[in-house]
Amino acid sequence: MVRRVLSLTSGRVAMTVLLLVALLAALGPLLAPQDPLATSDDVLAGISGGHWLGTDNLGRDELSRLLAGSRVSVLGALEVALTALVVGAVPGILSVYLGRAFEWVTLRLADTLVALPFLLFAVAVIALLGNGLTQAMLVTGVLVAPLFYRVARAATLTVARSPYVEAAVIAGAPVGWIVRRHVRSKVLPPVAVAFAQTVGTGFVIVSSLTFLGIGVQPPEPTWGGLLASDLGYLGQKPWAPVAPALLIMVTVWAGNLLADAIRDVSGEAGRALLRSRGARRRPGTTGPDPAPAPSGGVR
Amino acid sequence: MTSAPHPPRPVLEVTGLTVRHGPRRRRRTVLDGVSLSVAPGETLGLIGETGSGKSTLARAVLGLVPVSAGTVVVDGEDVTGHDERRWRALRRRGVVQYVFQDPLRSLDPDLTVEESLTEPLLVRGVPRTEAAARARRFLDRVHLTTALLGRLPGELSGGQRQRVAVARALVTEPRVVILDEPVSALDSANRVRVLDILGELRADGVALVFISHDLGSVAGTADRVGVLYRGELVETGTAHAVVNRPGHVYTRLLVGSAPTLRGAPADRAERDRLRALLHA
Amino acid sequence: MTAPSRTARPGAVPPVPAPPESLPGDRADRRPAGDAPAPPVLSLRGVRVTDRTGGRDVVHGVTFALAPGRTVGIVGESGSGKTLTCRAVLGILPEGFEVGGGTIEIEGTDIATLTPARWTALRGAVISAVFQDPASYLDPSVTVGAQIAEVVRVKLGLKRRAARRRAVELLDAVRLRDPELVGGQYPYELSGGMLQRVLIAAAIAAGPRVLIADEATTALDVTVQAEILDLLADLRERTGLALVVVSHDLAVVAQLCDEVLVMRHGEVVEQGPADAVLRDPRHEYTRLLVTEHERYGLEKVLTPEPSKETP
């Protein structure tokens, strides 16, 4: 799958950007030129040799805060998406196979989660589990899970009713076999798209929670938190939100690009697409193809 | 030894099969007391239209639809009360196989021909190399080149796909193959090719249940023919007898409606009369 | 190609010359004495359809003339060009295709001269069509009666109430039992055969003179197919409707048509009176179609006359 994604230009770009973001998350705090928490009298300063991106309302170095906050931001967003994936997609697939009772319960749970007021629920859970990024992200992930549940369930239902799955059943294949061999490849693309979108919303959610003091305590920097505080001083320093906003945007964009690439290369259409591209690049290697050319233009 | 020739024991025997669908209030009888049997090397044709219950019959025999009454005996084993686990064990033996109507949807679009063909074998725990060898053999059996093994269904023509589907049904060397409208989606040349393959199977002693709405394909292929109408088996007999001396009004209309190159066997007035009789 | 005049013999149809007895003019000549040949409502002369992107012909010259109350059949497998020929006649060729040669005349008017407005007026009123998948031509959220009434209102300019009445009459004309009830139903409540009748009712609403049935019975059960074919034959007799029946099934065409065109890869390989083509096919492809049909067809077990029964 990875190799297939990388064969697309969009896939390569997305992977490169996401790799850079991951590096930033891993090394960001070490790269920070100054102490991200150190305040100074030089508030809301412009770009200078000492402060490449200026300072914020408390005189802290923006670049250092941005770099220092990258790990928490990226991990937080990933945590949201992974939680949602596990809590949502897995029951979504299983709801088709584990019988009526499981189906009924999970469907009602999904409906309930959608109906819950997000902030109230988050505050309640944090009151229960204690404040912390992990708790906050877990809560958010659970609340986003119904999206994954529905996407995975819809894709599974379509596959489960197809004659080829019935043929596997007639061959005596157990549920695990059917899920691994037939269902997974059909469910992956829509779930990947949902995942990329959730990573995107994840950044924003981390920031809005930070703003409320949930998850991450205010002095600690996050991309979303920076964006929020910079937005408060637009009058004095109008270009300040550009840097964190750009980082979030590029990451989200790369995530969506990757999701699109995954969708493009998976399934029948994807394989045909790749085959035709391969044929164009290496004419003659695929030999005469008596099958109807699915994408056209390749001769 | 010149003992009296015993009629071969049927590999599939269905007695009084009844299937009801739907919630208790609006329960519909889809199949009503259908009895039939197929012996090795025999082809039973089942003719029926949309809603006649022909596909339900096939699915009930395969344990995909719950049976309300009656018995199904497969290869001497009464499978009527089987739970999911025993069904799975039975299916793994590959005694009964099924070929679907729509060759476009009966093969997983993401699996290569080889992966589709070996699936029924790998499920049974047949070693990979042996499964691959058998896939090749049965692809050859349906007169397709092994060059297709690495292809995806989307790269095959409709006729090729249906032959792959037939090959998949054969890899377990079943004793009964149920074919649900196997040639309806095919053009004339491929239809003949698939029907030829069925003829060869019969010669090999495989029992076939050939389900179709097309009297022509069934009558030209089957030893015996049954006519399903609204869940009931209204007529059985040799293909020749059913076509030339139909008893039930529906069968008469069916024969009279079938297009032949010399025009339909009945004229328009006769068909109108039969329709009125049938709907009365 | 020089297009011969309508009354003259069209000459050789490329690439296989049609047998002499196959010519449309000829058929008219064989009609009972005193019955002057009616002018054709639809005539095609050397019609070619060109794929503009590939720059090549996909239909290489189709010629036939269709008189009122007559039926011409086009047989061929998918990709043979039969559907493109129909679409050319209806002026609805898909994007990238165009009529690359020959003439199509509907009621004596060359369709190449038609403005879009004239086309709109012509379709439905003079020439109409039904296709394979009836459900996809109907709006699922509107009752079938209302959909037919709409056609009637637009095409005949009838008032709402009169249009409703006419819709019920049309549903009755296509022999739907209880037309009032059916008119009030939604497409999903009807079977495939009933839907096809509804579409036929809509197609004949404005009293067209030509109806094209492109694989109109392909997806239907055998008895339902016969009902639709009988209905078409009935309409033809009652109203003098001329039919173009397109099918991959030789036998369907045999049942209904006076003249048959056998197409393969965009070429008419054989053309002539239906009984002659089917009884004595000359082109190898037609022969193949006939033998394939007879090998696994009802013919194999059907004994037509008890007297001639031979095992």
Side-chain angles (χ1 to χ4, degrees), chain A:
Chain A
M1 178 53 94
V2 173
R3 195 174 311 155
R4 279 198 262 155
V5 168
L6 282 179
S7 72
L8 292 179
T9 313
S10 63
R12 281 196 298 273
V13 170
M15 290 289 248
T16 312
V17 172
L18 290 178
L19 201 70
L20 285 176
V21 172
L23 271 175
L24 209 60
L27 307 173
L30 305 175
L31 293 175
Q34 295 171 27
D35 181 358
L37 300 180
T39 56
S40 71
D41 297 336
D42 194 10
V43 294
L44 296 171
I47 292 174
S48 65
H51 304 291
W52 288 6
L53 290 176
T55 59
D56 69 358
N57 58 321
L58 296 175
R60 296 174 295 199
D61 182 48
E62 281 266 3
L63 179 64
S64 302
R65 287 183 66 73
L66 215 51
L67 289 171
S70 50
R71 183 178 295 171
V72 175
S73 306
V74 172
L75 280 184
L78 274 180
E79 216 173 309
V80 171
L82 280 174
T83 310
L85 180 72
V86 174
V87 178
V90 174
I93 294 172
L94 294 180
S95 70
V96 178
Y97 289 105
L98 288 191
R100 290 266 170 90
F102 184 82
E103 185 180 9
W104 193 87
V105 170
T106 50
L107 267 172
R108 295 304 150 259
L109 266 175
D111 289 346
T112 314
L113 284 175
V114 170
L116 275 181
F118 169 60
L119 282 177
L120 274 181
F121 185 66
V123 169
V125 171
I126 279 160
L128 213 68
L129 300 178
N131 198 356
L133 182 70
T134 309
Q135 286 92 322
M137 293 302 102
L138 281 178
V139 172
T140 315
V142 169
L143 284 172
V144 184
L147 169 70
F148 285 80
Y149 176 81
R150 294 204 178 279
V151 164
R153 182 177 148 80
T156 311
L157 273 177
T158 318
V159 183
R161 290 186 188 138
S162 66
Y164 53 83
V165 164
E166 209 150 71
V169 171
I170 291 167
V175 170
W177 172 286
I178 288 167
V179 170
R180 272 198 316 275
R181 204 171 168 95
H182 299 287
V183 177
R184 195 171 52 184
S185 61
K186 315 294 181 299
V187 173
L188 187 66
V191 167
V193 174
F195 188 81
Q197 283 170 352
T198 308
V199 169
T201 32
F203 285 111
V204 182
I205 290 168
V206 175
S207 76
S208 56
L209 286 180
T210 312
F211 205 61
L212 291 171
I214 298 173
V216 186
Q217 292 301 324
E220 196 182 336
T222 66
W223 292 357
L226 253 72
L227 181 64
S229 75
D230 285 349
L231 283 173
Y233 298 93
L234 271 181
Q236 291 93 324
K237 195 180 166 191
W239 52 269
V242 169
L246 215 59
L247 265 178
I248 293 175
M249 261 172 57
V250 167
T251 313
V252 171
W253 169 77
N256 278 318
L257 204 61
L258 181 66
D260 283 351
I262 290 174
R263 196 189 50 206
D264 285 348
V265 299
S266 49
E268 201 179 354
R271 287 216 206 180
L273 172 81
L274 292 178
R275 221 168 263 243
S276 71
R277 293 164 63 93
R280 195 178 302 143
R281 223 169 289 140
R282 310 179 300 274
T285 48
T286 46
D289 191 353
S295 52
V298 185
R299 265 300 122 190

Side-chain angles (χ1 to χ4, degrees), chain B residues 5-16:
Chain B
H6 279 287
R9 194 181 65 154
V11 279
L12 175 66
E13 205 167 7
V14 172
T15 318

Side-chain angles (χ1 to χ4, degrees), chain B residues 3-244:
Chain B
S3 60
H6 279 287
R9 194 181 65 154
V11 279
L12 175 66
E13 205 167 7
V14 172
T15 318
L17 185 66
T18 301
V19 174
R20 296 191 188 92
H21 271 332
R24 212 157 285 144
R25 278 285 177 74
R26 290 184 300 144
R27 181 147 289 199
R28 280 188 321 117
T29 303
V30 185
L31 276 182
D32 195 357
V34 171
S35 300
L36 51 87
S37 69
V38 203
E42 189 187 28
T43 300
L44 173 71
L46 276 178
I47 300 162
E49 305 197 331
T50 317
S52 63
K54 59 189 161 102
S55 295
T56 306
L57 177 59
R59 296 166 59 81
V61 168
L62 291 156
L64 299 172
V65 166
V67 171
S68 308
T71 55
V72 177
V73 178
V74 176
D75 203 18
E77 180 179 344
D78 187 341
V79 301
T80 321
H82 273 19
D83 58 7
E84 197 49 40
R85 200 177 50 79
R86 288 173 73 190
W87 261 117
R88 201 144 57 219
L90 176 74
R91 286 178 187 143
R92 279 196 200 172
R93 275 168 45 210
V95 179
V96 188
Q97 288 293 356
Y98 189 52
V99 175
F100 296 84
Q101 168 173 12
D102 185 357
L104 191 69
R105 299 182 61 235
S106 67
L107 299 171
D108 189 329
D110 289 336
L111 297 190
T112 62
V113 167
E114 181 168 15
E115 285 168 329
S116 281
L117 287 181
T118 51
E119 178 170 44
L121 298 170
L122 297 178
V123 163
R124 297 162 83 186
V126 173
R128 207 163 272 277
T129 48
E130 196 196 323
R134 275 223 242 170
R136 280 168 178 277
R137 204 166 79 227
F138 281 94
L139 204 59
D140 189 52
R141 188 84 172 61
V142 296
H143 310 299
L144 286 175
T145 151
T146 48
L148 298 184
L149 280 171
R151 295 278 175 82
L152 293 170
E155 300 167 316
L156 306 180
S157 72
Q160 287 174 328
R161 265 181 240 149
Q162 191 60 302
R163 281 189 276 165
V164 170
V166 171
R168 177 181 57 189
L170 296 180
V171 286
T172 60
E173 292 174 343
R175 308 206 49 207
V176 191
V177 180
I178 299 172
L179 306 114
D180 192 354
E181 300 276 10
V183 294
S184 304
L186 304 182
D187 60 26
S188 165
N190 279 305
R191 175 170 164 267
V192 167
R193 231 170 264 152
V194 170
L195 291 176
D196 279 347
I197 292 167
L198 298 189
E200 292 163 25
L201 285 180
R202 185 160 62 155
D204 289 355
V206 180
L208 302 176
V209 179
F210 184 167
I211 302 174
S212 176
H213 76 279
D214 177 18
L215 188 61
S217 323
V218 172
T221 320
D223 304 300
R224 282 185 303 126
V225 169
V227 180
L228 267 176
Y229 180 65
R230 295 187 176 180
E232 283 180 62
L233 201 60
V234 293
E235 188 141 354
T236 49
T238 63
H240 190 271
V242 168
V243 169
N244 291 294

